[in-house]
Amino acid sequence: MRVLGIETSCDETSAAVVDGTGDEAALQSLVILSQDVHRVFGGVVPEIASRAHLTSVQPVVARALADAGVPLDSVDAVAVTHGPGLVGALLVGVSFGKALAHALGVPLAGVHHMEGHLFATSLEDRAAAPPFTALLVSGGHTLLLDVEAWGRYRLLGRTRDDAAGEAFDKVAKLLDLPYPGGPHVERLAAAAGPGAGDGLRFTRPMLRRDQRPDDPDYYDFSFSGLKTAVLNAVRAPRDGAPVPRAAVARAFQDALVGSLVEKTARAVVAHGRTRVVLGGGVAGNRALVAAMRDRLAPHGVTVYAPGARLATDNAAMIARAGLFHLERGERAGLDLNAFATLSIPGLIAA
Ligand code: KG4
Ligand code: ZN
């Protein structure tokens, strides 16, 4: 089945063509147009994002088809992100996808954005298939899942306040770095060198040795306290001298990564998994991937992380997740709506 994917949930207008069956499906093209305009405002301005999607969605879809070398009328189905995300932005993709599916007379699938992130790495590496432990870390979500099979997800943990990417973006602001902050904080932290931090160390949030698997916070995350710790370190000079910004970035990243890695390791052990799949923009952070591999390799666990283009928001993952639902016979109607919040489909009792 040849699926055209469309993603407009935030500030990337993206379209992709995926062709094939199940885990054998291959990515034929992927176009991602990032809306740079938001950098001026230091964050995504929803109305500007919606209007930018409106002008870009058609050329981006046309380009994805041209890159794949396939005509529009050869598309067998359309998959579009319908939540969670910015409603005005989502509505552009949803309306466009509906019109296209209707005009072509092909099935339509509404895809959950985070389920898309779950499928992203499998497009690059077929071994990144269930069963596995998944850590999804994006600008709006931090989810720890046990993935028994595609479409069967146990939600183990989530953030209680800021998402991991959001924490990177807020800390970037405190360190006078541009938006989106993740890659800038990562670069600055790397500049601090090994063993750096200048003696600065932040507590790993929600991580204590005495936590038990049935404690409600055993798998959960929290990053807003870490952000406050950064604020205090930036504002309060130590011994009269300000803490170097690189040391603050490094200490922040170490604490955030430490918490993500330990909670993931707990989930791997509890469910006896041998694979970990990372997804979302923060999965592009090399320090996170390296720390995850260092921690889990001795246990015989392989860590799969998406490449840069598939880590960030993209339509390839939406087409792939859509293919999964379409192959199960699921169809969205022309009444498909967009939702700012939406629970991930396929949840089973933890
Ligand atoms: O998945 P994504 O592209 O969009 C959402 O669904 O939110 O994630 C974007 C987030 C932003 O917060 C961005 O700062 C963060 O991912 N990010 C990173 C890195 N690259 C992107 N965070 C840490 N390190 C990175 N290298
Ligand atoms: Zn995302």
Side-chain angles (χ1 to χ4, degrees), residues 113-114 117 138 313 317:
H113 180 80
M114 298 311 290
H117 278 301
S138 71
D313 286 350
M317 65 186 197

Side-chain angles (χ1 to χ4, degrees), residues 12 113-114 117 137-140 165-166 168-169 180-183 186 280-282 284-285 311-313:
E12 262 92 28
H113 180 80
M114 298 311 290
H117 278 301
V137 272
S138 71
E166 188 181 357
F168 269 100
D169 294 337
E186 179 179 4
V282 184
N285 184 290
T312 192
D313 286 350

Side-chain angles (χ1 to χ4, degrees), residues 12 16 53 62 84 89 92 99 104 108 159 172 218 247 291 301 319:
E12 262 92 28
H53 286 306
V92 176
L104 292 171
L108 175 71
T159 182
Y218 187 69
V301 175

Side-chain angles (χ1 to χ4, degrees), residues 2-220:
R2 178 171 292 159
V3 182
L4 171 70
I6 300 171
E7 155 67 40
T8 65
S9 70
C10 192
D11 57 348
E12 262 92 28
T13 315
S14 180
V17 177
V18 162
D19 204 349
T21 313
D23 287 331
E24 303 297 311
L27 178 58
Q28 298 205 313
S29 68
L30 170 59
V31 177
I32 306 171
L33 186 67
S34 291
Q35 302 175 356
D36 277 352
V37 57
H38 304 288
R39 283 169 202 265
V40 177
F41 304 99
V44 179
V45 182
E47 187 176 336
I48 294 177
S50 308
R51 290 177 188 278
H53 286 306
L54 209 49
T55 53
S56 339
V57 66
Q58 192 279 329
V60 165
V61 166
R63 179 65 187 268
L65 291 166
D67 285 0
V70 299
L72 179 59
D73 62 8
S74 74
V75 166
D76 298 312
V78 176
V80 62
T81 311
H82 76 123
L86 302 170
V87 167
L90 288 162
L91 284 171
V92 176
V94 167
S95 304
F96 193 87
K98 277 190 206 182
L100 206 53
H102 183 61
L104 292 171
V106 299
L108 175 71
V111 175
H112 188 285
H113 180 80
M114 298 311 290
E115 190 182 26
H117 278 301
L118 205 56
F119 276 89
T121 312
S122 73
L123 282 167
E124 289 177 324
D125 191 336
R126 287 190 186 151
F132 58 76
T133 300
L135 177 68
L136 301 182
V137 272
S138 71
H141 301 268
T142 305
L143 300 174
L144 182 61
L145 300 161
D146 180 63
V147 176
E148 192 180 282
W150 294 129
R152 284 183 67 79
Y153 315 127
R154 277 188 192 85
L155 177 60
L156 303 176
R158 61 196 316 165
T159 182
R160 297 199 175 177
D161 39 59
D162 295 349
E166 188 181 357
F168 269 100
D169 294 337
K170 287 178 175 170
V171 164
K173 249 185 200 163
L174 296 175
L175 295 172
D176 293 324
L177 296 169
Y179 173 86
H184 297 280
V185 173
E186 179 179 4
R187 225 168 289 136
L188 187 60
D198 255 11
L200 188 65
R201 189 183 189 280
F202 299 131
T203 308
R204 271 75 181 134
M206 263 201 196
L207 198 63
R208 299 183 319 277
R209 276 182 209 284
D210 62 356
Q211 278 167 313
R212 312 286 321 151
D214 46 3
D215 287 349
D217 59 355
Y218 187 69
Y219 292 119
D220 275 353

